């Protein structure tokens, strides 16, 4: 079994995944637009949505982060991610600092990166794409 996170974006999935690949050191192994869908599906897609992402997969050390843009058939307006954070468990304070700086750029910080009683470094933030993150670099023992 593999537990993965699937994110829904409001039209900026491609840009977000390119950013995450640079920031987190992963490789985009899938990036398919609605225009690439089978003909019967592609015909239902409005022209302004054809360049949006139907499915993306970023691989990081054997783990997957997946996502897409909201479907054009979705009747409700887009709502940002609520009630969850993607948690990055990072080995060194230096790497935690680097990733924190990248994700916090143009984002909103709820808790700045700092030492806590359980972690060498811990932070909570929402990045520029509306994705909530926790950065955790635990203390040994």
């Amino acid at each position: 079994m593999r537990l993965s996170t699937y994110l829904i974006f409001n039209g900026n999935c491609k840009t977000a995944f390119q950013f995450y690949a640079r920031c987190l050191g992963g490789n985009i192994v899938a990036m398919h637009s609605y225009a690439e869908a089978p003909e019967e599906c592609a015909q239902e897609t409005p022209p302004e949505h054809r360049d949006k992402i139907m499915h993306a997969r970023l691989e990081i050390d054997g783990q997957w982060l997946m996502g897409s843009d909201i479907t054009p058939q979705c009747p409700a307006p887009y709502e940002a991610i609520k009630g969850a954070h993607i948690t990055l468990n990072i080995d060194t304070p230096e790497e935690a600092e680097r990733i924190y700086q990248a994700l916090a750029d143009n984002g909103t910080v709820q808790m700045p990166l700092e030492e806590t009683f359980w972690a060498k470094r811990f932070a909570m933030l929402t990045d520029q794409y509306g994705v909530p993150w926790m950065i955790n670099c635990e203390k040994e023992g």
Side-chain angles (χ1 to χ4, degrees), residues 6-21:
Y6 202 100
L7 304 171
I8 305 296
F9 294 88
N10 193 25
N12 54 4
C13 180
K14 182 176 184 176
T15 305
F17 267 66
Q18 290 168 337
F19 171 72
Y20 298 147

Side-chain angles (χ1 to χ4, degrees), residues 24 60-61 63 85-93 95-97 99 103 113 118-123 133-139:
L24 303 175
I60 306 165
D61 293 330
Q63 301 174 85
H85 285 76
I86 297 176
T87 303
L88 300 172
N89 293 297
I90 300 172
D91 293 332
T92 67
E95 185 69 352
E97 295 277 351
I99 291 174
L103 290 173
L113 190 68
W118 75 87
K120 294 176 191 175
R121 299 290 184 280
F122 179 81
W133 297 88
M134 287 184 187
I135 298 171
N136 192 43
C137 176
E138 290 192 17
K139 293 178 180 176

